[in-house]
Amino acid sequence: MAAVLIAAPAIAADAGTQLPEAAPAPAEAAPAPVWTFTAEPYFWMAGMTGRVGVRGLPPADIDVDFSQIFDHIDWSPPPVMFAGEARNGRYALFTDFIYLGLEADGSSPGPLPLSANADMNTVVWTFGGSYRVVDTGTATLDVLAGGRLWYLDTDLTVTGPLAVRQASGSKTWVDPLVGIAGNVALGNGLSLHGEADVGGFGVGADIDWQVLGTLQYRYSDSVTLEAGYRYLAVDYEDDGFVFDIAMQGPIIGARFRF
């Protein structure tokens, strides 16, 4: 008992001199997502089939195959085709702009044979946002929503056995749209890309939809080349103006990431 009494003060003094254990270092916070940007000039060799009408004239049936597109494009001013994306993690903003001047011959239905010529300047601007719902490292799937603005400036000439009639007009409208986009890596820098959207719903056009499929090759960390096929169709009619058209053909482009 005496030994315990003698040792107790020494143990207490020694315990008092011990330093408390250091608190564990806080875990490092995950880096915040950063913005990345892509810009893609491309060329779409789009043929055009369907009906075009301007107030006061019957709609004309036109048919221009994509193999004939170079003979029908108005090169002054030249076509402009450009797409871009700004991405932050799973969220992204996208845009796609097309300007195309096109001249097409066709016919107009009626009791007498009528030939038609349509000279069209077309702007198609698609815009919106997307959210990535699937990302496995080798495959991605995004859902998207936005709108597609159309601007058409059309000169229509209808020629019959007795007279030549001409009318001009322009229209602008915006179609809401929803869709999906996805990528699947194939290895060796190759991947498949696909997009599909649908819109209109009677807000602007009765229906407005497109599908796109391309094979991509990642040339470097900042440059990706792609080639594929695109189909875009719209059915719009208002106050005598008719644009019930399908545009389709091969597409090639180069995507730059920075």
Side-chain angles (χ1 to χ4, degrees):
M1 179 63 70
V4 171
L5 292 176
I6 293 172
I11 295 173
D14 183 61
T17 61
Q18 292 180 354
L19 297 176
E21 294 184 2
E28 293 185 4
V34 297
W35 285 99
T36 59
F37 302 91
T38 59
E40 181 181 5
Y42 64 89
F43 185 63
W44 181 27
M45 293 168 279
M48 182 180 291
T49 59
R51 298 186 305 133
V52 176
V54 181
R55 185 188 306 176
L57 292 181
D61 296 324
I62 63 173
D63 186 357
V64 178
D65 189 77
F66 69 82
S67 62
Q68 306 168 325
I69 194 64
F70 289 100
D71 296 329
H72 292 267
I73 288 178
D74 183 357
W75 296 96
S76 179
V80 177
M81 302 177 186
F82 178 86
E85 181 187 73
R87 175 168 293 279
N88 190 324
R90 290 183 176 269
Y91 297 92
L93 301 173
F94 63 87
T95 187
D96 187 334
F97 179 85
I98 299 172
Y99 166 77
L100 179 64
L102 191 67
E103 184 176 353
D105 296 322
S107 61
S108 185
L112 297 175
L114 302 174
S115 61
N117 176 268
D119 189 356
M120 298 167 286
N121 292 316
T122 307
V123 172
V124 187
W125 177 35
T126 306
F127 56 90
S130 65
Y131 177 74
R132 181 152 293 173
V133 295
V134 175
D135 189 348
T136 66
T138 58
T140 63
L141 178 65
D142 297 353
V143 294
L144 59 89
R148 184 148 44 235
L149 179 146
W150 293 82
Y151 169 76
L152 303 173
D153 185 10
T154 304
D155 294 328
L156 181 62
T157 302
V158 177
T159 304
L162 302 177
V164 177
R165 300 174 62 191
Q166 186 174 20
S168 301
S170 62
K171 279 286 185 178
T172 303
W173 75 91
V174 178
D175 294 327
L177 60 86
V178 293
I180 57 174
N183 276 75
V184 178
L186 303 177
N188 297 320
L190 296 173
S191 63
L192 291 176
H193 175 76
E195 298 180 23
D197 63 55
V198 62
F201 311 120
V203 176
D206 290 335
I207 190 167
D208 178 349
W209 65 280
Q210 78 161 336
V211 290
L212 166 69
T214 61
L215 176 66
Q216 299 182 334
Y217 173 65
R218 188 172 182 179
Y219 179 77
S220 67
D221 289 342
S222 58
V223 178
T224 298
L225 309 176
E226 66 177 338
Y229 202 86
R230 184 180 193 178
Y231 184 101
L232 172 62
V234 62
D235 183 1
Y236 177 84
E237 186 170 352
D238 179 62
D239 195 23
F241 191 95
V242 178
F243 196 69
D244 183 5
I245 287 294
M247 304 170 66
Q248 60 178 317
I251 185 172
I252 56 174
R255 182 174 301 177
F256 302 92
R257 183 178 182 272
F258 54 95

